[in-house]
Amino acid sequence: MKLCSQAGLHEVTQAVQHAIDIGYRSFDCAFRYGNEKEIGEGLRTKINEGVVTRQDVFITSKLWNTHHRPDLVVSACKKTLSNLGIEYLDLYLVHWPFAVKEGEELKPRDETGRSIPSDVDYIDTWKAMEECVKLGLTKSIGLSNFNSQQIQRILDNGVIKPAVHQIECHLYLNQTKLIAYNKAHGIVLTAHCPLGSPGSNAKPDTPPLLLDERLVSLSKKYRKTAAQIAIKYLIQHGVIPLPKSVNKQHLQENIDIFNFELSPDDIDCLDTFDQNIRICKFY
């Protein structure tokens, strides 16, 4: 379950509690989302109620771009742990493969509105991430939004191999080559934006993914929602989808995808949806 910043903070706490009640055990967080404290509150409530233990849940968070400088990485991880109210993360990711100007401003811009970069090399950032593992702050580390060349640099220069790589991946951006690359190197893939961009057009003359007539037709065939078909497609390609929602009905639907399989022919059909449409951009 992905917990982005678009939802209200109280909604996030309630969504975490409801998600745990219906069976969710993995929560994808990030310092950038600004809601780690509310996520932690929801988790602690369910732990205190005896519904789950800390060991039952898998908590991921991410290092933000303003904290890439090696001397800032460990303290950033500790801040996330403090926000969440836990002693360790299960997974800590480098949110993006580049750094921006250090400071309190999360998206520093110059007078023209452009992002202000920092000259920190993500290889040095990765070595500090490895220190987080050594200190017991996180059990594993990984990447987010990297390309294959950037991952290869990590593999060539790091000591700890990335356990997980989180990328934008959905039917309109199926990432076939990047999926193959990660699988070849034994890196688990998770997908953000697995439902595309519901309610908006990412490209002229292209319907929002969940309204695509071809997907709607398949949803009727399988008696599942379009979202469930899109999620199942990724799972059958060996990718772990991370749909985001605070809606109770959608949370239930998104987890109710283990009682059917898409046929090989329908998988082939869904493969043709790819249009190289990227929704998530840094700015």
Side-chain angles (χ1 to χ4, degrees), residues 7-282:
L9 296 179
H10 178 69
E11 286 183 294
V12 169
T13 299
Q14 294 297 314
V16 169
Q17 295 178 34
H18 182 69
I20 289 175
D21 285 340
I22 63 177
Y24 284 83
R25 294 296 181 265
S26 178
F27 296 90
D28 183 82
C29 320
F31 179 80
R32 174 65 185 91
Y33 302 158
N35 56 15
E36 289 179 327
K37 290 183 180 180
E38 289 70 27
I39 293 166
E41 181 181 339
L43 289 170
R44 283 193 302 277
T45 296
K46 288 304 169 182
I47 289 173
N48 292 337
E49 289 178 358
V51 178
V52 291
T53 67
R54 170 64 185 91
Q55 292 71 31
D56 292 330
V57 291
F58 190 96
I59 309 298
T60 300
S61 195
K62 307 179 191 74
L63 176 78
W64 186 239
N65 304 52
T66 53
H67 300 143
H68 274 215
R69 205 173 68 202
D71 63 299
L72 299 177
V73 173
V74 168
S75 60
C77 186
K78 289 180 177 179
K79 177 64 174 175
T80 278
L81 292 176
S82 176
N83 286 342
L84 290 167
I86 56 179
E87 295 182 353
Y88 67 90
L89 291 168
D90 296 283
L91 175 64
Y92 197 38
L93 306 177
V94 181
H95 206 149
W96 292 88
F98 54 88
V100 296
K101 181 183 176 182
E102 297 77 16
E104 295 299 318
E105 178 59 49
L106 295 181
K107 288 189 174 182
R109 300 174 186 268
D110 62 20
E111 61 277 5
T112 68
R114 293 184 178 181
S115 173
I116 303 175
S118 171
D119 61 0
V120 177
D121 188 331
Y122 60 80
I123 295 298
D124 296 326
T125 304
W126 184 254
K127 292 177 181 178
M129 294 283 286
E130 293 176 335
E131 186 65 21
C132 290
V133 177
K134 295 175 185 176
L135 293 173
L137 302 176
T138 183
K139 290 188 174 182
S140 57
I141 51 178
L143 308 171
S144 180
N145 301 307
F146 279 56
N147 62 37
S148 58
Q149 292 178 329
Q150 292 162 337
I151 299 169
Q152 192 62 53
R153 283 194 71 216
I154 295 288
L155 295 174
D156 291 342
N157 293 280
V159 175
I160 300 176
K161 185 178 80 171
V164 171
H165 184 204
Q166 185 175 134
I167 58 174
E168 178 180 343
C169 188
H170 46 77
L171 283 164
Y172 284 166
L173 182 72
N174 65 26
Q175 300 273 30
T176 301
K177 292 181 179 179
L178 193 52
I179 289 173
Y181 176 89
N182 281 271
K183 286 182 178 180
H185 289 85
I187 300 172
V188 174
L189 267 173
T190 59
H192 65 77
C193 304
L195 304 180
S197 183
S200 66
N201 289 64
K203 189 176 181 179
D205 303 320
T206 300
L209 175 59
L210 299 186
L211 298 180
D212 190 299
E213 292 182 358
R214 298 166 297 173
L215 186 59
V216 172
S217 176
L218 282 175
S219 75
K220 293 177 180 177
K221 172 182 176 180
Y222 286 93
R223 297 184 179 180
K224 290 289 184 177
T225 67
Q228 288 171 323
I229 300 296
I231 290 170
K232 190 66 175 185
Y233 167 80
L234 293 178
I235 289 175
Q236 289 188 222
H237 271 301
V239 178
I240 301 169
L242 298 170
K244 61 184 179 185
S245 180
V246 295
N247 179 286
K248 289 184 179 181
Q249 180 181 343
H250 292 165
L251 285 170
Q252 184 66 60
E253 288 175 355
N254 291 343
I255 204 172
D256 184 26
I257 41 80
F258 298 104
N259 54 4
F260 77 105
E261 292 287 319
L262 298 169
S263 72
D265 286 345
D266 287 334
I267 289 288
D268 289 343
C269 172
L270 291 166
D271 283 338
T272 68
F273 280 36
D274 183 66
Q275 297 185 51
N276 199 34
I277 295 176
R278 189 174 298 277
I279 297 161
C280 185
K281 298 184 175 76
F282 179 71

